[in-house]
Amino acid sequence: MTARTWAVALSGLNGHMVDVEADLSQQTPGFDLIGLGDRALGEAARRVHNACRNSGLDLPRRKLTVNLSPASLPKHGTAFDLAIAIAALGTEGTLDASSLARTVHLGELGLDGRLRPVAGVLPALHAAKAAGFEHAVVPVGNEAEARLVPGLTVHAAASLAQVAVLHGAQLDDPGDPDPILIPEAPERPETDDDLADVIGQEDAVAALVVAAAGGHHLLLTGPPGAGKTMLARRLAGILPDLDEEAALEAASIRSLMGESLTTLERRPPFVAPHHSASIAALIGGGSRIARPGAIAMAHGGLLFLDEAAEAPRAVLDSLRQPLESGTIEIHRSEFTARYPARFQLVLATNPCPCGAFGVVGEECVCPPSAIRRYASRLSGPIRDRLDIEVRVARVSAVQAMAQERGRLSTAQARDRVVAARERAALRWHGLPWRLNAHVPGTWLRQGEHRIAAGARAPLDRALQRGSLTLRGYDRVIRMAWSVADLDGADAPALEHVGRALYLKKGMMT
């Protein structure tokens, strides 16, 4: 009279195992679904009824109660349909109870009994594997994504009838319906953008390499046409490939967004939302389901905000907490969703509303008050969280027409960055950090890797004069380690600290 199987409820990237219990009680026909589900889940009874009937599988003609336990955990979406249907069919004893109890079922039911792909299969199955499950049933459309989870036996089915037969149902012909597939996501285009194409910006290129080596945040300021966007895109190219853990986290976020995953993408993501994006679009949100925003999509990679001064100030200030913690928590009255958001931020902005302030050969028509207001759109707390500030000048005609390319190619820069990161990872071995930008300031100032007093003398004077905050002081120390790693030095010397201070206070190319 009772049958049970398993599904997964997602809260952000965290998956929680849900015990799907079905029970027959009184003789009066009915179908009750309990367990704190949303509206989409409340409509599952209708989909289950029609899917079972059209698949040649009869539901019991008695009162059927399906409980999703724990009942206090909010549950969203249609991925519970398959587990509900299988548990309901198992109450009459025609299915193998032990097979049901050791299997996780994910999938939405169509009225004709076919299984529709669902979002979030990758993080859901990772949670199932961590909970000790070894078998999972998913729609055919999610098969490739499900097989990215190692150590899990995945059964892909096109219909409810095929799943029932898998668990021992006796059907003359379960059928072989056309599977419902997710449209394939467009492949990331292979670009031939090379760092060597950047001419006349040698100091800016050097700053990009430091930023990539340590995972430092960057501000590019300059007139239109100076190459700010070009530099930001080349920065994405010199970042090293993601490791296994970071690649799985990035893929899990893409899975939550409903993308079709067939392989594990190793290149860091590059996310560039428009400057008119809202706070919810940037950090994530939603009333019933908290969807990840641009900062979560950029996890492990680069978030580029062009025309940053044109964005609403509140939108930019919403980045302050994620920049410090590397995560974003979205709180709602019934649930809290947590997403990783360890991204590298690159902001690009003009020096003034007309873009000509400080440009040789051009006249700025903006009054001083407008220039000050425009600069203040990047608040002090946001600027304090940026490690490197680069003022980018326009390339001269002589440089533009020269036949020579830049001194450093993307491949060469990436090799230098990889070597620097390996030095940092070796230094922080056994500690919860791998990049210099992630090391807490108190540890750098007081730990065993404290910079010698003579090397940090200019930095101490800047803090004493008030030209640096303590947060800025810590960021310069982190950059000094990155500069030293690029040079192959064991510890930052005076010239490394000076270079880092120069990058922090704003450099003119």
Side-chain angles (χ1 to χ4, degrees), residues 115-343:
L115 291 182
R116 298 180 178 276
V118 293
V121 165
L122 186 59
L125 292 187
H126 268 292
K129 180 66 173 60
F133 287 88
E134 298 179 353
H135 297 271
V137 177
V138 300
V140 171
N142 293 123
E143 180 179 7
E145 177 181 342
R147 296 197 185 281
L148 296 176
V149 182
L152 195 66
T153 302
V154 175
H155 306 276
S159 67
L160 176 61
Q162 292 179 355
V163 181
V165 170
L166 177 68
H167 294 299
Q170 299 298 319
L171 290 178
D172 294 335
D173 182 16
D176 189 18
D178 294 332
I180 301 175
L181 304 177
I182 302 177
E184 291 189 8
E187 294 184 2
R188 185 181 300 182
E190 293 289 339
T191 64
D192 56 358
D193 296 339
D194 196 281
L195 197 61
D197 296 333
V198 180
I199 57 176
Q201 306 281 12
E202 293 182 4
D203 285 348
V205 169
L208 294 186
V209 175
V210 174
H216 304 291
H217 307 305
L218 179 67
L219 171 64
L220 299 170
T221 304
K228 301 185 295 294
T229 302
M230 178 182 66
L231 288 167
R233 293 190 179 277
R234 265 67 176 181
L235 174 58
I238 66 176
L239 295 179
D241 289 345
L242 300 177
D243 59 22
E244 184 79 14
E245 181 180 357
L248 283 172
E249 286 182 331
S252 296
I253 294 171
R254 292 170 56 201
S255 174
L256 284 175
M257 298 300 291
E259 290 190 27
S260 176
L261 302 179
T262 56
T263 59
L264 202 59
E265 176 64 55
R266 295 286 184 168
R267 289 300 302 147
F270 178 80
V271 181
H274 193 263
H275 64 262
S276 63
S278 65
I279 293 179
L282 199 61
I283 69 171
S287 57
R288 291 180 300 153
I289 301 176
R291 296 175 63 84
I295 63 173
M297 294 292 290
H299 175 66
L302 198 65
L303 178 68
F304 175 51
L305 298 180
D306 200 2
E307 304 295 345
E310 300 292 342
R313 182 166 176 169
V315 173
L316 294 178
D317 284 343
S318 68
L319 296 174
R320 288 156 58 176
Q321 181 267 331
L323 285 174
E324 291 294 322
S325 65
T327 61
I328 181 65
E329 288 189 357
I330 303 171
H331 294 266
R332 295 295 180 265
S333 59
E334 295 183 350
F335 64 90
T336 298
R338 183 177 183 272
Y339 295 105
R342 182 69 72 182
F343 58 92

Side-chain angles (χ1 to χ4, degrees), residues 35-70:
L36 200 60
D38 65 354
R39 181 174 178 180
L41 190 51
E43 296 169 348
R46 304 180 193 177
R47 293 191 294 272
V48 169
H49 265 295
N50 287 68
C52 288
R53 185 177 65 249
N54 292 326
S55 300
L57 300 165
D58 295 327
L59 286 174
R61 297 180 178 276
R62 295 171 59 181
K63 181 60 175 277
L64 186 63
T65 302
V66 178
N67 178 43
L68 307 179
S69 179

